[in-house]
Amino acid sequence: MSDETASRPGTRRGPYAKSTRRQAEIVASATSVFSERGYRGGSLREIAKQLDASLTSVVHHFPSKSALLVAVLENADSAHADAFQEDSRHQGVAYAVLRYVRRNIDRPEMLRLLALMAAESSASDHPAHEWFRHRYELTIGILANAVRRDQEEGRVANTRDPRGIAESLVALWDGLQLQWLIDPQRDLVAAMTAALKDLLGPKAIPGP
Amino acid sequence: MSDETASRPGTRRGPYAKSTRRQAEIVASATSVFSERGYRGGSLREIAKQLDASLTSVVHHFPSKSALLVAVLENADSAHADAFQEDSRHQGVAYAVLRYVRRNIDRPEMLRLLALMAAESSASDHPAHEWFRHRYELTIGILANAVRRDQEEGRVANTRDPRGIAESLVALWDGLQLQWLIDPQRDLVAAMTAALKDLLGPKAIPGP
DNA sequence: GTCTATACCCGGATAGAC
DNA sequence: GTCTATCCGGGTATAGAC
């Protein structure tokens, strides 16, 4: 919102530079708080305290707690999503998915937050509803394209429509992730690998 | 807690009868409130108001909001879980799963609540953590048995270990359900049927 | 534009009287 | 068992200082 002017260098960037920096700090603090205490558990007051700022200062930059949450999600997920898209384009679906899994296994709190918010945001009046809807739409689209490419190259044996397969893949990932979050004893990578083999065929799985 | 004396009939059963009845009323009220407003959105005060009772009266029977939630979940899920087990024993996995899906498609609010609480309860210190852990363990176990039976009878082509398949089935269900909750336009039954066919083989799918 | 202080209303939890 | 009263902490809205 305040980036339009900042994106035009040379005009004025003084007053906004501090603001965007402050916003980034708030997002970082919110990420750590939400990751530890969850969304419900984490309070704006605690986020502010971490920055030696006041509550209203936080509210000034993000009009509501949910707006801040969306910023956190966006920021946390964008890097991983980009890498995923890159992988899927060059190395095939299974490779991309498994790398995505491996990358995410180190930040269970973040996954917990994403899973929690996805469920919570399923209510159509939730502030993050549209964000998640769009996110799923995007992810499934990207995956569907990658699946189609793999089908054409003979890497994926399953001949079902790519979009349906993509939906199943996302579902599998969400579901296995949930089981793993509830019981960390489970081997998430192994489970995902086996499921991928069932869904895509053995040739789709990359070597160890 | 108050059942020990009640389990000895003939001595005194008057005072406790009213209590258990009251508890059932509270659970019913909580179910409707949680289903409409969600867990976070629903308040104990509103639950009490529906019964023309006060907040502390509710708290007296259920020491915390989360304890009440667990009672709600237990009560709401038991009937469906029993039917599922029955079906899987007699008609095969795919049939049981699809009937479970069809049965649940009429109560999206309840599914939303279950999905939300499953995610939230993944935190190990959550009041409902153990309940969900046990629920998943149980569901997967039942499914694994059914899968093994179907494999032996040649109804399921997939030769992977039954437990792994069962985990994938649960994950698929949770994941597709989530996508459907976020975007009700999707055809949950069709998606689940197609995924089942991929995972179990075409012979496992019952006719229309 | 940025930040602060204050106040409001609602949430869950607790103590004590009846 | 049920109530009233109270506490503390949460998100939010407003007024005002720099």
Side-chain angles (χ1 to χ4, degrees):
Chain A
M1 310 304 150
S2 52
D3 299 74
E4 297 109 40
T5 58
S7 65
R8 286 186 58 205
T11 52
R12 297 192 324 135
R13 70 170 205 276
Y16 297 103
K18 190 183 177 189
S19 177
T20 54
R21 197 180 139 213
R22 197 59 164 163
Q23 288 178 7
E25 289 175 358
I26 292 174
V27 168
S29 173
T31 302
S32 88
V33 169
F34 285 159
S35 294
E36 280 179 25
R37 304 233 197 282
Y39 176 67
R40 332 181 31 197
S43 73
L44 295 180
R45 286 173 171 88
E46 185 180 357
I47 293 169
K49 196 175 291 180
Q50 269 199 7
L51 297 169
D52 283 316
S54 86
L55 163 65
T56 34
S57 173
V58 173
V59 176
H60 173 258
H61 291 282
F62 298 92
S64 73
K65 188 183 185 183
S66 344
L68 176 54
L69 170 71
V70 172
V72 167
L73 295 176
E74 197 105 30
N75 176 66
D77 204 46
S78 60
H80 293 260
D82 289 350
F84 173 77
Q85 186 155 10
E86 199 64 19
D87 283 344
S88 72
R89 221 191 294 276
H90 296 79
Q91 310 273 10
V93 202
Y95 179 88
V97 171
L98 286 176
R99 266 202 64 173
Y100 187 75
V101 173
R102 282 183 220 272
R103 239 198 322 269
N104 276 287
I105 218 165
D106 293 323
R107 45 167 205 170
E109 296 83 12
M110 204 59 200
L111 288 190
R112 203 185 311 280
L113 186 57
L114 279 170
L116 182 58
M117 292 318 301
E120 194 174 309
S121 80
S122 69
S124 57
D125 60 342
H126 192 280
H129 180 74
E130 261 315 304
W131 188 84
F132 270 102
R133 233 186 70 83
H134 178 255
R135 178 176 182 264
Y136 272 94
E137 199 55 43
L138 200 70
T139 308
I140 290 173
I142 293 171
L143 261 172
N145 279 333
V147 167
R148 186 182 305 112
R149 248 189 327 265
D150 279 16
Q151 283 175 328
E152 292 166 356
E153 297 176 10
R155 201 151 38 179
V156 161
N158 192 335
T159 58
R160 175 150 71 103
D161 77 300
R163 164 142 191 129
I165 296 179
E167 289 172 358
S168 296
L169 285 174
V170 172
L172 227 21
W173 161 244
D174 277 341
L176 289 177
Q177 167 191 291
L178 180 61
Q179 291 176 34
W180 174 70
L181 286 173
I182 291 177
D183 180 8
Q185 301 283 357
R186 299 180 195 271
D187 188 338
L188 178 56
V189 176
M192 196 68 204
T193 306
L196 281 175
K197 201 186 284 183
D198 284 349
L199 210 59
L200 303 176
K203 280 172 67 178
I205 309 301
Chain B
M1 310 303 148
S2 52
D3 299 79
E4 297 111 40
T5 58
S7 64
R8 286 185 57 204
T11 50
R12 297 189 327 133
R13 69 170 206 276
Y16 296 104
K18 191 184 176 188
S19 178
T20 53
R21 196 180 140 210
R22 196 61 164 161
Q23 288 178 9
E25 289 174 358
I26 292 173
V27 168
S29 173
T31 302
S32 88
V33 170
F34 285 158
S35 294
E36 279 179 26
R37 303 233 197 282
Y39 176 66
R40 334 181 30 198
S43 73
L44 296 180
R45 284 174 171 87
E46 187 180 357
I47 293 168
K49 195 175 292 181
Q50 271 201 6
L51 297 169
D52 283 314
S54 87
L55 162 66
T56 35
S57 174
V58 174
V59 175
H60 174 258
H61 291 282
F62 297 93
S64 73
K65 190 183 183 183
S66 344
L68 176 54
L69 170 72
V70 171
V72 168
L73 295 176
E74 196 105 30
N75 177 64
D77 204 46
S78 60
H80 292 260
D82 289 350
F84 173 77
Q85 186 155 10
E86 199 63 18
D87 282 343
S88 72
R89 220 191 294 275
H90 295 79
Q91 311 272 11
V93 202
Y95 178 89
V97 171
L98 286 177
R99 265 201 66 172
Y100 186 75
V101 173
R102 282 183 220 273
R103 238 197 323 267
N104 276 284
I105 217 165
D106 293 323
R107 46 168 205 168
E109 297 83 12
M110 203 61 203
L111 288 189
R112 204 185 310 281
L113 186 56
L114 278 170
L116 182 58
M117 292 320 299
E120 195 174 309
S121 79
S122 69
S124 56
D125 59 342
H126 193 280
H129 179 74
E130 261 314 304
W131 188 83
F132 270 101
R133 234 185 70 83
H134 178 254
R135 179 177 181 264
Y136 272 94
E137 198 56 44
L138 199 70
T139 308
I140 290 173
I142 293 171
L143 261 172
N145 279 334
V147 167
R148 185 183 304 110
R149 250 192 322 268
D150 278 15
Q151 283 176 329
E152 292 166 354
E153 298 176 11
R155 199 151 39 179
V156 161
N158 192 337
T159 58
R160 177 150 70 102
D161 76 300
R163 166 144 189 126
I165 295 178
E167 289 172 357
S168 296
L169 285 175
V170 172
L172 226 22
W173 160 243
D174 278 340
L176 289 177
Q177 166 191 292
L178 180 61
Q179 292 176 34
W180 173 70
L181 286 172
I182 291 176
D183 181 7
Q185 301 283 356
R186 299 180 196 271
D187 187 338
L188 179 56
V189 176
M192 197 68 203
T193 306
L196 282 174
K197 201 186 283 184
D198 283 349
L199 209 59
L200 303 176
K203 280 172 67 178
I205 309 302

